């Protein structure tokens, strides 16, 4: 039913992932627009063309990375779990490791008509518990953030916004219509991180 | 000042008040306690577990549903409880009973901790799976005991939530300003934390002592009066669940990690990323099996 409602406005990525598209086709009263919300689960990557929101919920130490080409109307979001090492790869979870996820995000955008020069990128997450300093290796959050930033630097892709670290869980939302990237936390509510308008 | 003033109101409540005055507190059915006891006993058998289980029709129905679910893909229908126990195994039945009896109240929202519907459940179930994984790897404690301890570790939040409504932001501000963990702030403001309240509640349910110790010290296993591998496993499970973002509330990841737990359990910190991968895979497998049949 949701596919019918979305029609041509939002086309799912090639992979029918665990994530699925989470419900939410809302027909606004007196409006022709249909908003859909695509949830991006751990280690996964989703690409959407047209309209709708991409959402990463429950970002603890994980990093949510989103990109938008406002000219081609293509948006993507990756939910990176771990930093990974050179060559770390998981075929079933294209964004499991930072070392594969950032590149996969760019490739997926380009495969759907996005142009690198028009793409903006933003990211959030990388939180961690206290006391990680006392035990090296426990700092998954900051290692994740470092690894993702390093991959973006390799691609010379400067984020328009980044909300990293701390010890709060986050939800990251990208609106394809407005280009707005929003962060939601349980304590501080919803706030605008940045607006992606291209590179 | 405003934030701390608000918090002072709660300071008059004793731990006993929290448990006594909170209406609608959950309880653990005696059938489940009996099934746990039988399954954990060296003399326990499928027959004795089945006998106890048969006392509770709703639980029996869930166990039969799981035995007959596509997950097990049996060629024939399992018709009675003793046969279901044989098919699923005592350990699976034991854990399913604990899950089924806690799911209804754990899936409710807890606004005092900014946990929406299902979030307390998601977190508790994830910690159960993480604690079980730590127990498997360490071989220092029964994996079923670790599963149960993980599932019940935050029951104190159910009692505390109503008293913390509208205070979360102030507590979080205090924690950030002082650089203290959330449980430390609970102790500073109330004189006790959700872990202690949980152990108190568990005592009223007649939970076994090692389980009470694990609940009580899950945030500070180094402070347990005696070595508690169960508390260590729950601590590691909680770390994994928080890091991977399962059921994060307003307290988020604002807790200390005591690295000594890894040493005591013989787990390698360098292998933490691999442990996280195994944890996520295990969570997804267990969720598929349990949640659909326990809900």
């Amino acid at each position: 039913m949701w596919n019918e409602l979305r029609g041509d406005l939002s086309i799912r990525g090639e992979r029918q992932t665990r994530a699925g598209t989470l419900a939410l086709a809302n027909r606004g009263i007196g409006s022709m627009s249909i908003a859909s919300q695509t949830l991006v689960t751990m280690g996964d990557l989703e690409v959407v063309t047209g309209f709708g929101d991409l959402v990463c919920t429950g970002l603890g130490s994980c990093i949510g990375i989103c990109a938008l080409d406002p000219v081609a109307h293509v948006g993507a979001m990756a939910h990176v779990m771990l930093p990974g090492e050179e060559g770390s790869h998981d075929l079933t979870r294209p964004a499991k490791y930072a070392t594969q996820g950032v590149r996969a995000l760019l490739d997926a955008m380009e495969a759907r008509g996005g142009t690198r020069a028009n793409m903006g990128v933003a990211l959030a997450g990388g939180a961690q518990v206290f006391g990680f300093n006392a035990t090296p290796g426990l700092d998954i959050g900051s290692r994740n953030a470092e690894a993702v930033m390093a991959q973006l630097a390799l691609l010379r892709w400067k984020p328009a916004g980044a909300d990293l670290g701390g010890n709060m869980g986050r939800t990251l939302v990208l609106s394809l219509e407005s280009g707005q990237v929003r962060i939601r936390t349980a304590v501080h509510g919803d706030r605008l991180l940045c607006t992606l308008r291209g590179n | 000042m405003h934030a701390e003033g608000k918090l002072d109101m709660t300071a008059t409540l004793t731990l006993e008040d929290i448990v006594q005055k909170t209406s609608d507190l959950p309880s653990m059915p005696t059938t489940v306690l009996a099934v746990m006891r039988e399954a954990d006993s060296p003399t326990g058998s499928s027959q004795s577990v089945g006998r106890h289980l048969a006392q509770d029709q709703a639980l029996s129905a869930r166990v039969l549903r799981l035995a007959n679910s596509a997950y097990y893909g049996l060629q024939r229908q399992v018709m009675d409880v003793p046969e279901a126990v044989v098919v699923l195994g005592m350990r699976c039945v034991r854990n399913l009973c604990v899950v089924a009896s806690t799911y209804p109240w754990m899936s409710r929202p807890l606004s005092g901790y900014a946990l929406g519907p299902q979030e307390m459940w998601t977190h508790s179930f994830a910690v159960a799976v993480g604690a079980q994984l730590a127990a498997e790897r360490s071989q220092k404690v029964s994996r079923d005991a670790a599963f149960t301890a993980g599932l019940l570790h935050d029951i104190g939040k159910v009692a505390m939530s109503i008293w913390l409504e509208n205070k979360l932001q102030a507590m979080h501000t205090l924690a950030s300003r002082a650089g203290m963990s959330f449980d430390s702030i609970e102790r500073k403001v109330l004189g006790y934390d959700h872990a202690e309240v949980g152990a108190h509640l568990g005592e009223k349910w007649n939970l076994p002592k090692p389980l009470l110790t694990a609940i009580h010290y899950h945030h500070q296993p180094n402070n347990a009066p005696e070595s508690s591998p169960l508390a260590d496993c729950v601590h590691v499970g909680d770390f994994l669940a928080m890091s991977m973002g399962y059921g994060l509330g307003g307290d988020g990841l604002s807790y200390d990690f005591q690295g000594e737990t890894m040493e005591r359990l013989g787990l390698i910190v360098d292998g933490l990323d691999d442990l996280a991968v195994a944890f996520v895979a295990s969570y997804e497998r267990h969720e598929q099996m349990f949640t659909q049949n326990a809900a």
Side-chain angles (χ1 to χ4, degrees):
Chain A
M1 182 178 76
W2 302 120
N3 283 332
E4 285 166 24
L5 280 173
R6 275 197 301 277
D8 293 333
L9 295 176
S10 168
I11 304 161
R12 294 286 317 283
E14 295 82 355
R15 301 170 53 258
Q16 290 295 316
T17 60
R18 278 168 298 282
T21 299
L22 252 206
L24 314 198
N26 300 318
R27 232 180 244 278
I29 297 171
S31 160
M32 293 299 286
S33 71
I34 298 172
S36 67
Q37 196 171 61
T38 304
L39 184 68
V40 186
T41 53
M42 226 182 295
D44 240 321
L45 164 65
E46 296 283 335
V47 191
V48 171
T49 54
F51 299 94
D53 289 349
L54 283 158
V55 184
C56 264
T57 60
L59 291 170
S61 297
C62 296
I63 308 271
I65 317 163
C66 57
L68 178 72
D69 177 343
V71 180
H73 298 288
V74 182
M77 189 175 276
H79 189 150
V80 169
M81 281 170 67
L82 293 163
E85 290 165 6
E86 199 53 48
S88 296
H89 200 73
D90 187 323
L91 285 174
T92 60
R93 292 181 195 257
K96 183 171 175 178
Y97 301 108
T99 42
Q100 71 174 129
V102 177
R103 182 76 235 184
L105 181 84
L106 177 58
D107 290 347
M109 290 279 290
E110 287 179 339
R112 299 294 288 275
T115 305
R116 170 73 178 78
N118 295 334
M119 290 180 207
V121 65
L123 64 156
Q128 49 201 21
V129 295
F130 292 121
F132 58 87
N133 286 331
T135 316
L138 291 175
D139 52 346
I140 299 179
S142 62
R143 285 190 290 120
N144 267 344
E146 268 175 39
V148 169
M149 291 301 279
Q151 291 297 316
L152 288 170
L154 276 175
L155 297 169
R156 297 180 191 279
W157 208 3
K158 194 178 172 203
D163 183 27
L164 301 167
N167 43 47
M168 296 288 288
R170 296 171 172 91
T171 292
L172 174 70
V173 183
L174 166 67
S175 160
L176 263 73
E177 285 93 333
S178 65
Q180 286 191 346
V181 180
R182 307 196 71 88
I183 306 287
R184 212 162 44 230
T185 65
V187 172
H188 298 119
D190 178 88
R191 74 177 179 88
L192 178 69
L193 176 65
C194 62
T195 302
L196 297 181
R197 293 195 176 90
N199 212 359
Chain B
M1 286 297 287
H2 176 65
E4 286 165 25
K6 262 186 172 178
L7 294 173
D8 283 344
M9 291 165 60
T10 326
T12 52
L13 280 169
T14 66
L15 187 150
E16 193 57 34
D17 284 341
I18 294 268
V19 175
Q20 291 291 333
K21 293 181 181 174
T22 311
S23 59
D24 201 22
L25 271 183
S27 62
M28 186 65 94
T30 50
T31 304
V32 177
L33 290 170
V35 167
M36 277 168 59
R37 203 172 45 241
E38 280 302 308
D40 295 344
S41 157
T43 58
S45 64
S46 299
Q47 288 77 11
S48 63
V49 168
R51 243 191 337 268
H52 285 289
L53 184 56
Q55 306 294 312
D56 188 319
Q57 288 187 350
L59 268 179
S60 299
R62 285 185 173 111
V63 167
L64 282 170
R65 195 166 69 190
L66 177 63
N68 289 308
S69 70
Y71 189 89
Y72 284 92
L74 298 178
Q75 298 294 316
R76 60 190 171 76
Q77 186 123 22
V78 176
M79 302 298 285
D80 60 45
V81 172
E83 191 187 358
V85 178
V86 173
V87 167
L88 299 174
M90 275 198 298
R91 289 184 33 236
C92 177
V93 168
R94 171 204 189 281
N95 290 346
L96 180 67
C97 287
V98 184
V99 166
S101 61
T102 51
Y103 181 82
W105 49 269
M106 274 199 193
S107 50
R108 290 183 207 147
L110 294 180
S111 55
Y113 287 89
L115 286 161
Q118 297 285 336
E119 286 180 336
M120 164 80 173
W121 165 258
T122 299
H123 179 69
S124 303
F125 191 68
V127 176
V129 171
Q132 182 176 256
L133 182 65
E136 271 167 22
R137 298 268 171 112
S138 72
Q139 300 281 309
K140 302 225 181 233
V141 65
S142 140
R143 47 182 298 213
D144 296 331
F147 182 89
T148 310
L151 195 68
L152 300 178
H153 78 290
D154 266 350
I155 52 173
K157 284 187 177 176
V158 178
M160 295 263 282
S161 175
I162 193 164
W163 306 99
L164 293 185
E165 275 179 21
N166 307 318
K167 296 179 176 68
L168 183 66
Q169 189 151 14
M171 291 183 73
H172 198 271
T173 303
L174 257 181
S176 301
R177 201 184 294 161
M180 291 167 74
S181 62
F182 197 83
D183 56 312
S184 303
I185 293 295
E186 285 180 334
R187 288 193 294 276
K188 194 174 163 70
V189 172
L190 300 159
Y192 43 83
D193 59 27
H194 66 269
E196 202 177 340
V197 172
H200 194 72
L201 189 56
E203 211 175 335
K204 292 196 177 301
W205 296 355
N206 292 317
L207 292 180
K209 193 166 179 296
L211 203 51
L212 297 176
T213 305
I215 293 170
H216 193 150
Y217 294 98
H218 73 266
H219 284 305
Q220 19 181 12
N222 290 354
N223 294 0
E226 57 212 41
S227 163
S228 170
L230 209 49
D232 289 344
C233 287
V234 175
H235 192 67
V236 171
D238 205 10
F239 170 77
L240 290 169
M242 286 190 285
S243 297
M244 294 296 115
Y246 286 112
L248 294 177
D251 46 351
L253 290 81
S254 303
Y255 293 100
D256 279 319
F257 185 78
Q258 300 187 331
E260 296 87 342
T261 50
M262 299 284 278
E263 290 164 30
R264 285 196 293 267
L265 292 172
L267 302 175
I268 308 160
V269 174
D270 283 349
L272 191 74
D273 291 7
D274 290 336
L275 193 66
V277 170
F279 162 67
V280 171
S282 184
Y283 175 87
E284 289 174 355
R285 201 170 55 245
H286 280 84
E287 192 202 26
Q288 190 197 355
M289 180 172 74
F290 278 125
T291 311
Q292 288 168 6
N293 293 286

